[in-house]
Amino acid sequence: MTTSVSDLTTQAAISAIVAAHRGQRGPLLPILHAIQAELGHVPQEAIPLLARELNLSRADVHGVVSFYHDFRREPAGRTTVRICRAEACQALGAGALVTCARDRAGVSLGETRADGSVTVEQVFCLGNCALGPSVEVNGEVFGRMSADRLRSILDEAVSS
């Protein structure tokens, strides 16, 4: 098995993050967040490295990564659209936004387009209930989202 330059870079980034958090109690979650912030996702090769560095089992690390939906296994698209599916937004038409995203971007919730342009996800509350349905685009929350506005956002994401 050969190790590529990108694998070495990933391992070096993970090792540096672990070193920065080594003195903390229960550092796994902060380390995972830092890895995702640095690399855009938590790659599979991080699991055995973290298990070894933190004296945990691979199953423990994998369990945490797979339990929390905010940790990505693969890099997200250039644009990330998160549609709120909590009760208030659902009552105000979030289902239609999910249908719009699937039809316009050609992906289901939790998927990234093959061209890497957009990832569409669901989230259960963006804290913007009074202005539902709400959508988060690259970290910015938009309220009173309509299918027309969402189509425009998706079209721009795909074309850029």
Side-chain angles (χ1 to χ4, degrees):
M1 180 171 127
T2 62
T3 303
S4 72
V5 172
S6 66
D7 289 341
L8 292 175
T9 304
T10 299
Q11 289 175 5
I14 293 168
S15 293
I17 291 166
V18 169
H21 291 84
R22 188 167 300 285
Q24 294 180 346
R25 281 186 66 190
L28 181 58
L29 279 174
I31 288 170
L32 290 170
H33 282 290
I35 289 170
Q36 184 153 298
E38 177 74 20
L39 303 175
H41 68 295
V42 178
Q44 185 63 35
E45 60 266 22
I47 292 174
L49 180 59
L50 292 174
R52 185 178 67 245
E53 290 288 330
L54 299 174
N55 196 29
L56 298 169
S57 72
R58 288 181 184 195
D60 286 338
V61 177
H62 172 78
V64 171
V65 172
S66 62
F67 178 79
Y68 292 103
H69 297 283
D70 282 340
F71 293 127
R72 302 179 195 287
R73 298 293 187 94
E74 301 293 328
R78 292 183 300 278
T79 300
T80 301
V81 175
R82 299 173 79 199
I83 301 170
C84 180
R85 301 294 304 274
E87 290 82 2
C89 288
Q90 199 64 25
L92 294 169
L97 298 178
V98 171
T99 300
C100 171
R102 185 187 62 237
D103 294 347
R104 198 61 165 206
V107 294
S108 296
L109 294 173
E111 294 181 349
T112 301
R113 278 178 56 105
D115 65 4
S117 62
V118 65
T119 297
V120 179
E121 301 175 330
Q122 67 181 350
V123 63
F124 291 93
C125 197
L126 290 168
N128 200 34
C129 304
L131 298 175
S134 297
V135 171
E136 182 186 87
V137 180
N138 291 337
E140 184 177 356
V141 176
F142 296 90
R144 295 194 175 108
M145 182 59 66
S146 67
D148 287 340
R149 282 179 63 203
L150 184 57
R151 272 192 287 280
S152 177
I153 289 167
L154 293 168
D155 288 348
E156 183 177 330
V158 170
S159 68
S160 59

